[in-house]
Amino acid sequence: MAGHTTGDIVAKLWNLCNVLKDDGVTYHQYVSELTYLLFLKMAKETGTEAGIPEEWRWDELETRQGLKQLEHYKLLLLELGSSSSGSSALVQEIFANASSFIRKPVTLNKLVEEIDKLDWYSARQEGLGDLYEGLLQKNAEEKKSGAGQYFTPRPLIDAMVAVMQPQLGDVIQDPAAGTGGFLIAAQRWIREHQDISELDEAQQQRFYQRTFYGMEHVQDTHRLALMNLMLHGLDSVSGEGGIRYGDTMSSDGEGLPKASLILTNPPFGTKKGGGLPGRNDFTFPTSNKQFCFLQHIYRALVPGGRAAVVLPDNVLFEGNVGKQIRADLMDKCNLHTILRLPTGIFYAQGVKTNVLFFSRGTSAKGNTKAVWVYDLRANMPAFGKRTPLTREHFAVFEEAYGSDPLGLAPRTATGPEGRWQCFCREEIAERGDSLDLAWLKDDSAEDGADLPEPAVLAQEAMVELEGALEDLRAILAELGEEVEELV
């Protein structure tokens, strides 16, 4: 976890946001803008400037003043993203299509001065990766940045990783990688539970370069992910692994290797324009992103491979193609556990969410015999800035889940008033293959004390309407009618 100095530096870096705001830089652009400067400074501090041509390094930027500094900086961004600049592959990816939103020379000068004054020695001792993750989390907490849509809360990530137990030899994938939180947490878990230093050179090379794979289709987010992986010691470019820039829902996704462990929080909503994904290997074509990602995930697992996936409630109960995909999932995989998550834990999403835990079977039929459900939503506090989500909130679930990552450890239901219940496959079939399995009376939802904000209610309504539209499109398609897309 971040130390005192790291927390102090994160706060100081975030306060520089006010300097950028005065120059017209938005919250959405802020961390990307800061990443360019931090990359140059951290490369100097860690003695890893070899991939940066001398004329574009931190010291060269720092020696300039006024308009000359700003002009040099903007040229630097263009050059480092170019293959002709002599910069390394990692540098080229981080600075790919980079541009600055800074207009005033005094703004850049202030940023360079303040970054240079920070306690970089102590930051190195505590870990630059923790510093950068802290900055990403701060950005996600700021609703106006919109970053919460791709930042999964660290306590949830750590709980999912803990029950999945990543191992040396795993091929670990996140097809919706965001800023790389799941892959970094998986690496951290392995290093804490197994001694990497005892591996021979070939084994270490495999661990760092051919274990962690991901894909991110937003370029600004992709560069944040590359920076995050680099600062946590993961080689994200020179090996086969790392987070690639591409769309998992296109043919790019077919290039991701089969995995023995998938950890992910796919984006919510429908494909822009309502069109189908650009892949032809899905059994059930749909414009619903979550159902597309779910198909990718269970198809990408090797036999015996395991997955933990964050998905919204509508995936559990939507009809037509949704019902078909759930049935296919339960045939091909052992969907052994569902964790109903509390509301309010995603800063930019008002929808209710769950974690689905499943493992790929060796056959294509009848792998799910029963589904265990842990309800961490009913009668829970409204999480947010006043009541932050912590790892302790998942402790009882992790104990109930058991020591087997495939969900095969002995389990005991807690009774109708408890949070832990089991539903057999036949019972789920009687419910129309709906996995919206709830039994606890949620008193907190009835007392009206903590009604969701209007924006949250609007978000939930949009998700419901998108699901209804998807059902109507499926009906029209079955009738052979052409579906006109709404503009």
Side-chain angles (χ1 to χ4, degrees):
M1 299 300 291
H4 174 74
T5 301
T6 296
D8 183 53
I9 291 178
V10 167
K12 288 178 178 177
L13 287 172
W14 188 252
N15 285 337
L16 290 178
C17 181
N18 295 317
V19 178
L20 285 162
K21 277 196 297 182
D22 291 341
D23 201 5
V25 179
T26 67
Y27 280 103
H28 184 67
Q29 299 155 346
Y30 169 58
V31 175
S32 290
E33 191 79 58
L34 199 57
T35 292
Y36 306 139
L37 293 168
L38 286 177
F39 180 86
L40 298 173
K41 177 62 175 173
M42 289 176 171
K44 177 190 174 181
E45 292 296 324
T46 55
T48 55
E49 291 182 296
I52 306 172
E54 284 189 30
E55 61 185 308
W56 308 122
R57 293 177 183 176
W58 177 263
D59 285 344
E60 285 296 317
L61 177 66
E62 190 182 20
T63 57
R64 289 168 167 76
Q65 296 294 321
L67 185 59
K68 288 186 177 179
Q69 185 184 52
L70 183 57
E71 290 173 343
H72 178 82
Y73 175 59
K74 293 196 173 187
L75 186 58
L76 172 158
L77 296 180
L78 288 172
E79 287 293 323
L80 291 183
S82 167
S83 59
S84 61
S85 67
S87 56
S88 69
L90 174 61
V91 173
Q92 287 176 41
E93 285 214 50
I94 286 182
F95 288 88
N97 297 313
S99 61
S100 176
F101 294 93
I102 297 174
R103 294 173 296 178
K104 302 172 186 174
V106 65
T107 302
L108 179 62
N109 186 250
K110 177 72 171 175
L111 289 175
V112 171
E113 283 185 356
E114 292 300 318
I115 289 172
D116 208 45
K117 287 193 298 188
L118 297 174
D119 184 0
W120 288 102
Y121 175 80
S122 297
R124 287 199 307 274
Q125 300 303 110
E126 292 184 6
L128 295 179
D130 283 348
L131 188 159
Y132 193 68
E133 257 193 312
L135 184 64
L136 294 175
Q137 181 167 356
K138 195 80 172 174
N139 191 39
E141 290 170 357
E142 175 50 65
K143 291 183 179 180
K144 285 177 282 188
S145 77
Q149 64 184 314
Y150 61 79
F151 191 93
T152 308
R154 172 75 176 271
L156 173 58
I157 289 177
D158 287 345
M160 291 167 64
V161 168
V163 297
M164 287 288 97
Q165 300 178 35
Q167 302 291 318
L168 285 172
D170 269 328
V171 173
I172 303 171
Q173 183 195 125
D174 182 350
T179 54
F182 279 108
L183 298 182
I184 288 165
Q187 183 224 31
R188 185 183 293 117
W189 171 272
I190 294 172
R191 295 177 68 92
E192 287 174 355
H193 291 82
Q194 295 175 271
D195 191 350
I196 305 300
S197 64
E198 291 186 354
L199 302 179
D200 62 33
E201 186 176 344
Q203 290 172 323
Q204 288 202 28
Q205 189 176 47
R206 183 199 179 284
F207 173 69
Y208 286 110
Q209 296 187 4
R210 296 191 300 280
T211 297
F212 306 95
Y213 295 82
M215 187 160 284
E216 172 53 46
H217 73 108
V218 177
Q219 191 159 44
D220 279 346
T221 307
H222 179 246
R223 72 175 95 251
L224 303 186
L226 293 180
M227 179 84 160
N228 208 9
L229 262 63
M230 179 197 75
L231 294 174
H232 284 89
L234 285 174
D235 189 333
S236 55
V237 174
S238 65
E240 294 176 13
I243 296 176
R244 305 171 187 176
Y245 174 49
D247 182 1
T248 304
M249 294 299 100
S250 73
S251 57
D252 298 338
E254 297 177 56
L256 286 169
K258 294 282 188 179
S260 56
L261 173 58
I262 295 180
L263 299 156
T264 191
N265 176 11
F268 302 161
T270 57
K271 192 176 185 295
K272 287 184 179 179
L276 297 175
R279 289 177 62 163
N280 56 16
D281 63 332
F282 287 160
T283 308
F284 307 101
T286 171
S287 62
N288 183 299
K289 286 181 184 177
Q290 305 100 69
F291 282 121
C292 288
F293 270 98
L294 184 55
Q295 287 185 87
H296 165 85
I297 292 160
Y298 67 78
R299 293 171 63 94
L301 287 175
V302 297
R306 61 209 187 279
V309 187
V310 180
L311 292 166
D313 269 16
N314 68 294
V315 170
L316 303 183
F317 59 74
E318 275 191 15
N320 292 308
V321 70
K323 178 181 178 181
Q324 293 175 297
I325 291 169
R326 287 193 299 274
D328 193 44
L329 167 67
M330 288 186 280
D331 265 340
K332 291 183 169 65
C333 300
N334 177 18
L335 173 63
H336 51 78
T337 310
I338 296 175
L339 170 63
R340 292 170 62 84
L341 291 171
T343 57
I345 66 173
F346 290 100
Y347 301 106
Q349 299 289 352
V351 295
K352 297 181 176 71
T353 53
N354 314 268
V355 185
L356 272 60
F357 299 88
F358 52 88
S359 57
R360 183 70 192 238
T362 54
S363 63
K365 289 289 183 182
N367 280 286
T368 298
K369 307 299 183 187
V371 179
W372 286 80
V373 182
Y374 193 96
D375 191 337
L376 197 60
R377 182 183 306 168
N379 304 310
M380 292 294 289
F383 289 102
K385 287 188 176 180
R386 286 180 296 179
T387 310
L389 183 74
T390 68
R391 181 69 185 280
E392 281 302 304
H393 288 110
F394 295 98
V396 179
F397 162 71
E398 291 178 42
E399 184 179 355
Y401 186 99
S403 59
D404 190 318
L406 300 179
L408 301 177
R411 295 172 166 182
T412 304
T414 53
E417 301 302 314
R419 296 188 180 274
W420 190 221
Q421 298 293 340
C422 182
F423 298 83
C424 68
R425 180 68 182 89
E426 291 74 19
E427 187 176 353
I428 294 169
E430 289 173 3
R431 293 168 176 252
D433 281 341
S434 170
L435 294 169
D436 189 21
L437 305 168
W439 61 95
L440 290 176
K441 181 183 178 183
D442 191 354
D443 296 327
S444 63
E446 294 183 2
D447 61 20
D450 293 302
L451 287 175
E453 296 177 6
V456 171
L457 293 171
Q459 182 80 20
E460 290 180 346
M462 286 175 64
V463 171
E464 295 285 346
L465 287 171
E466 285 173 349
L469 282 171
E470 184 68 22
D471 286 348
L472 290 172
R473 287 191 190 100
I475 292 170
L476 286 171
E478 287 176 10
L479 295 173
E481 298 289 331
E482 186 174 337
V483 181
E484 292 185 10
E485 295 300 340
L486 299 176
V487 178

